[in-house]
């Protein structure tokens, strides 16, 4: 299974749409969580252009004015959507795999960027992460650092970090490591600030079902956030592959 989480910072430009089309085509994604779409509605033409000829189902949360918005895409040849729920900061889908009828939950998160809204965001997150006896993956832009080393400048860890970590620990979630790069966001200034704001969490049931789950940060020039790609099997570096030939 392959999925992608990306804070796209608005879906208004053809260049961003083209890049998203390339990501979908290149990685044969089972699901996508696009964050900060800054769109109220999506036309059938636009969604069709992102489909790549596959049978897809879309769910979304409209943007709040000129910010926010979440778009989720599911490959309906591989999964059925059994239930959907939305909050101010998340979209949650209960899915069933078509091949083996196994059920799992996908939660796509866009955390509050403003300090005044972080209490509300964390309260909603704690509520949505209540334990379910099935695999769960939670990903997106949480807009909170977990530790000091997730920022290239001082004063990264704060009270929101403490509360966030407590929620993750109480929910028995494990963060999926992204070994290829340290940060997922930059502020595009001369003396850049770099932070890790985007991440993926899984529960014990997910890890038992998909023990080889890995993630990697992709490079992009179309947003200040990097896309995060998740796979339930190990990534293969094709440059290092070789083949034995029998004489």
């Amino acid at each position: 299974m392959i999925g992608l989480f990306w804070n796209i910072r608005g879906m208004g430009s053809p260049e961003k749409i083209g890049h998203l089309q390339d990501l979908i085509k290149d990685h044969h994604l089972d699901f996508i969580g696009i964050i900060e779409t800054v769109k109220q509605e999506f036309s059938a033409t636009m969604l069709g252009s992102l489909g790549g000829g596959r049978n897809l189902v879309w769910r979304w949360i409209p943007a709040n004015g000129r910010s926010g918005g979440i778009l989720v895409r599911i490959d309906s040849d591989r999964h059925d959507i059994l239930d959907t729920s939305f909050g101010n900061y998340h979209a949650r889908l209960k899915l069933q795999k078509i091949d083996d009828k196994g059920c799992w939950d996908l939660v796509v998160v866009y955390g509050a960027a403003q300090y005044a809204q972080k209490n509300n965001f964390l309260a909603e997150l704690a509520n949505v992460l209540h334990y379910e006896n099935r695999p769960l993956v939670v990903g997106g832009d949480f807009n909170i650092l977990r530790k000091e080393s997730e920022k290239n400048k001082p004063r990264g860890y704060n009270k929101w970090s403490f509360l966030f970590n407590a929620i993750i620990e109480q929910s028995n979630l494990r963060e999926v490591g992204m070994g290829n790069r340290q940060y997922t966001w930059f502020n595009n200034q001369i003396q850049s600030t770099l932070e890790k704001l985007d991440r993926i969490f899984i529960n014990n049931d997910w890890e038992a079902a998909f023990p080889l789950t890995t993630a990697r940060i992709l490079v992009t020039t179309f947003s200040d956030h990097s896309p995060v790609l998740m796979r339930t099997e190990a990534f293969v570096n094709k440059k290092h592959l070789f083949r034995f030939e029998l004489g």
Side-chain angles (χ1 to χ4, degrees), residues 6 46 48 86 88 92 95 97-98 106 115 128 146 174 178 181 208 226 232 240:
W6 186 23
M46 182 179 193
F86 298 127
N88 292 323
R92 180 171 188 155
L95 304 170
K97 295 167 63 182
I98 290 177
L106 169 65
Y115 284 134
V128 78
R146 297 194 67 194
R174 179 181 73 82
M178 307 174 192
R181 294 177 67 193
S226 298
T232 55
H240 294 165

Side-chain angles (χ1 to χ4, degrees), residues 4 17 44 60 82 102 130-131 144 148 156 162 167 174 196 221:
L4 182 81
I17 298 301
W60 65 83
L82 302 184
H130 62 274
Y131 180 76
I144 297 178
E148 192 70 27
F162 175 81
I167 290 170
R174 179 181 73 82
K196 183 180 180 182
T221 59

Side-chain angles (χ1 to χ4, degrees), residues 96-110:
Q96 184 177 55
K97 295 167 63 182
I98 290 177
D99 55 0
D100 62 10
K101 305 303 180 184
C103 293
W104 61 283
D105 281 19
L106 169 65
V107 179
V108 181
V109 173
Y110 179 41

Side-chain angles (χ1 to χ4, degrees), residues 2-187:
I2 308 174
L4 182 81
F5 298 94
W6 186 23
N7 183 330
I8 198 169
R9 288 292 199 188
M11 295 181 67
S13 74
E15 292 80 10
K16 287 185 180 180
I17 298 301
H19 185 59
L20 184 56
Q21 290 170 331
D22 290 340
L23 290 173
I24 293 170
K25 179 181 178 181
D26 292 345
H27 298 289
H28 307 287
L29 301 169
D30 292 89
F31 69 86
I32 307 171
I34 300 299
I35 301 133
E36 203 167 6
T37 61
V38 196
K39 290 186 71 67
Q40 297 289 329
E41 297 289 341
F42 294 88
S43 68
T45 300
M46 182 179 193
L47 296 179
S49 72
L50 297 173
R54 300 166 70 180
N55 295 318
L56 307 173
V57 180
W58 302 86
R59 298 288 187 271
W60 65 83
I61 299 175
N64 182 12
R66 298 179 63 85
S67 65
I70 294 176
L71 176 66
V72 185
R73 191 214 77 165
I74 302 297
D75 187 334
S76 58
D77 287 332
R78 302 178 185 178
H79 293 89
D80 288 324
I81 299 177
L82 302 184
D83 192 23
T84 305
S85 62
F86 298 127
N88 292 323
Y89 307 99
H90 82 281
R92 180 171 188 155
L93 282 69
K94 180 181 178 181
L95 304 170
Q96 184 177 55
K97 295 167 63 182
I98 290 177
D99 55 0
D100 62 10
K101 305 303 180 184
C103 293
W104 61 283
D105 281 19
L106 169 65
V107 179
V108 181
V109 173
Y110 179 41
Q114 297 78 17
Y115 284 134
Q117 298 177 16
K118 287 191 184 294
N119 267 331
N120 292 335
F121 162 60
L122 290 172
E124 181 173 305
L125 182 67
N127 184 60
V128 78
L129 295 182
H130 62 274
Y131 180 76
E132 297 283 0
N133 190 26
R134 57 180 177 266
L136 168 70
V137 58
V138 185
D141 173 12
F142 292 81
N143 267 314
I144 297 178
L145 304 176
R146 297 194 67 194
K147 51 190 176 182
E148 192 70 27
S149 62
E150 292 182 345
K151 185 176 182 178
N152 70 329
K153 297 179 180 179
R155 296 188 297 275
Y157 185 93
N158 54 36
K159 69 175 183 178
W160 309 115
S161 306
F162 175 81
L163 294 172
F164 184 37
N165 286 332
I167 290 170
I168 298 305
E169 183 177 352
Q170 292 171 5
S171 302
N172 292 315
L173 297 182
R174 179 181 73 82
E175 184 169 353
V176 180
M178 307 174 192
N180 62 319
R181 294 177 67 193
Q182 187 173 358
Y183 306 110
T184 66
W185 173 85
F186 72 105
N187 66 348

Side-chain angles (χ1 to χ4, degrees), residues 186-202:
F186 72 105
N187 66 348
N188 202 24
Q189 301 295 318
I190 295 176
Q191 294 183 337
S192 295
T193 298
L194 306 172
E195 297 180 347
K196 183 180 180 182
L197 301 177
D198 309 84
R199 52 188 90 238
I200 299 171
F201 297 98
I202 56 177

